Amino acid sequence: MELNRLRFLMDIQEQIDILERTLGKEHSDVISAKEKFYTLAGKEFANSVIRLVHEQAVEPVIFKQAQEFYGCLGIYNLLSTEVQRKLVSDFVEMEHQKRRDDFERFCVSIYQQLECVINAIYENSTLFDKFKLDRKLQLITNTWYNKITQQQDKSRKGFSLESTILRIKFKPSNKYYTGADYDNYFKDATKNDIKEILQRFRLLVYYLYFDEEVLSEERFKDILLTFEEIKLMRNKTHRGGMQYDTQKQIINRVESAPYLYYLKFHGFLMDFMNQISLSKNIKRLNSE
């Protein structure tokens, strides 16, 4: 069998495996896809040693790793069965793309896991209600030891939560927010008005990753930047379109060192999922 044909067939097989895990073996779409694939591949691939290795060794190991990783996280049991299945499927896809050295599709798989968790937690929590109460608070927390009270004292500085998390441009489009603009916005605002993934992500970072205590502004910004890097790489595959100069610079920087960013993005996903799972707020904010 020619190498290019074998690679092509292996790619299709892995997509069918993902479909099967998502929908189940007996689903009509899975059965139809398999029938068409085996007609295309023929006995040459169906009976090959490489196919057996793929099905009996590589795939089960990666699937087990995905289940074990998400299964040990506190957020996992708070998610629906559909979301759990999607996370495991995207984890497996992420590992396959890394093994194939397909960096762009690897980034897509990373992003889809983050997006899935961000939206699931936001949509099934009271995060926005709490944010409406806290919105005037400033982001950065300072702590120091008070010799008189012999306790740690705290104060806040920096921009307000509403301006840091929402970053809304009010009409006209060239007019940036003011305190009065936000007061007017929040009169009728509900959590369904917050659809932008970056705004939802900032909410989770503040309330769950940092547990409302951002002691390092630099660390907060680094987390937002890494998510932006992943999002821009994902958009190259899914959306395309015009990019700002700063976005082009980010993409060029990431693409110039993909093997560094394989590890950075993988580590970011692991760290984010683990930290929000450890949050004292995760169960209290869940509305179910």
Side-chain angles (χ1 to χ4, degrees):
M1 182 185 300
E2 293 182 2
L3 182 58
N4 288 339
R5 173 175 166 78
L6 178 59
R7 286 175 176 167
F8 171 69
L9 294 174
M10 288 292 287
D11 284 346
I12 297 178
Q13 177 63 53
E14 290 188 355
Q15 295 304 315
I16 290 177
D17 290 340
I18 292 170
L19 186 68
E20 183 174 287
R21 287 195 302 273
T22 303
L23 302 178
K25 291 183 179 181
E26 305 305 320
H27 195 280
S28 59
D29 289 347
V30 174
I31 295 172
S32 176
K34 283 185 175 181
E35 289 176 350
K36 292 177 181 177
F37 172 64
Y38 292 132
T39 300
L40 168 68
K43 295 180 181 179
E44 182 182 27
F45 180 72
N47 297 325
S48 71
V49 173
I50 294 177
R51 172 174 165 76
L52 292 176
V53 169
H54 169 73
E55 290 185 345
Q56 297 179 15
V58 177
E59 188 73 15
V61 168
I62 297 176
F63 185 67
K64 181 176 183 292
Q65 290 172 347
Q67 288 184 311
E68 292 292 336
F69 169 68
Y70 276 112
C72 72
L73 296 178
I75 59 168
Y76 193 65
N77 291 332
L78 301 177
L79 305 173
S80 68
T81 302
E82 180 182 356
V83 171
Q84 291 176 349
R85 189 182 296 118
K86 181 73 167 60
L87 287 173
V88 170
S89 176
D90 285 332
F91 185 103
V92 171
E93 182 71 1
M94 171 188 73
E95 292 297 333
H96 280 314
Q97 300 310 332
K98 184 178 179 183
R99 187 161 49 86
R100 291 190 198 125
D101 200 17
D102 190 330
F103 182 62
E104 287 191 6
R105 290 174 67 183
F106 169 82
C107 292
V108 171
S109 300
I110 289 273
Y111 178 84
Q112 286 178 170
Q113 290 173 78
L114 291 167
E115 180 185 45
C116 193
V117 167
I118 292 166
N119 286 334
I121 291 180
Y122 178 83
E123 290 166 2
N124 294 286
S125 74
T126 58
L127 270 176
F128 185 74
D129 294 330
K130 181 165 176 53
F131 174 58
K132 287 177 71 172
L133 297 175
D134 296 341
R135 64 189 179 90
K136 294 296 185 183
L137 292 177
Q138 293 180 307
L139 175 70
I140 311 301
T141 302
N142 281 337
T143 64
W144 71 91
Y145 183 72
N146 188 319
K147 293 182 179 179
I148 298 176
T149 63
Q150 296 185 347
Q151 293 180 342
Q152 287 290 120
D153 282 350
K154 298 179 180 180
S155 65
R156 292 178 180 269
K157 65 175 184 176
F159 295 104
S160 65
L161 293 183
E162 60 191 4
S163 63
T164 304
I165 291 173
L166 294 186
R167 294 184 184 175
I168 292 175
K169 282 187 179 181
F170 294 95
K171 295 180 180 180
S173 59
N174 62 347
K175 177 179 178 292
Y176 283 85
Y177 47 75
T178 67
D181 288 323
Y182 276 116
D183 288 341
N184 185 59
Y185 171 81
F186 275 101
K187 285 180 181 178
D188 302 313
T190 68
K191 72 178 183 180
N192 293 328
D193 296 318
I194 308 299
K195 295 181 171 61
E196 170 56 49
I197 190 68
L198 286 173
Q199 294 171 338
R200 294 182 172 193
F201 177 68
R202 293 184 197 114
L203 273 170
L204 265 66
V205 170
Y206 177 73
Y207 283 110
L208 304 184
Y209 189 96
F210 285 106
D211 270 338
E212 304 173 57
E213 297 291 344
V214 180
L215 302 176
S216 170
E217 184 175 6
E218 291 73 19
R219 177 62 181 146
F220 184 82
K221 289 181 178 178
D222 283 344
I223 291 172
L224 300 188
L225 175 59
T226 302
F227 184 77
E228 178 72 5
E229 291 170 339
I230 295 170
K231 183 172 182 285
L232 287 174
M233 291 304 300
R234 174 262 188 184
N235 287 351
K236 280 196 63 182
T237 301
H238 276 252
R239 294 188 178 183
M242 188 183 71
Q243 297 157 347
Y244 298 113
D245 288 342
T246 54
Q247 293 175 326
K248 291 178 182 178
Q249 291 171 9
I250 291 174
I251 291 172
N252 290 337
R253 184 178 69 246
V254 172
E255 290 185 329
S256 68
Y259 298 106
L260 184 153
Y261 283 92
Y262 269 122
L263 296 176
K264 179 180 180 181
F265 292 167
H266 192 279
F268 178 81
L269 175 71
M270 306 296 123
D271 178 62
F272 178 75
M273 296 298 184
N274 184 53
Q275 284 299 114
I276 66 174
S277 292
L278 296 174
S279 170
K280 65 185 180 185
N281 285 326
I282 188 69
K283 290 185 178 180
R284 180 166 63 87
L285 291 174
N286 194 272
S287 60
E288 296 182 348

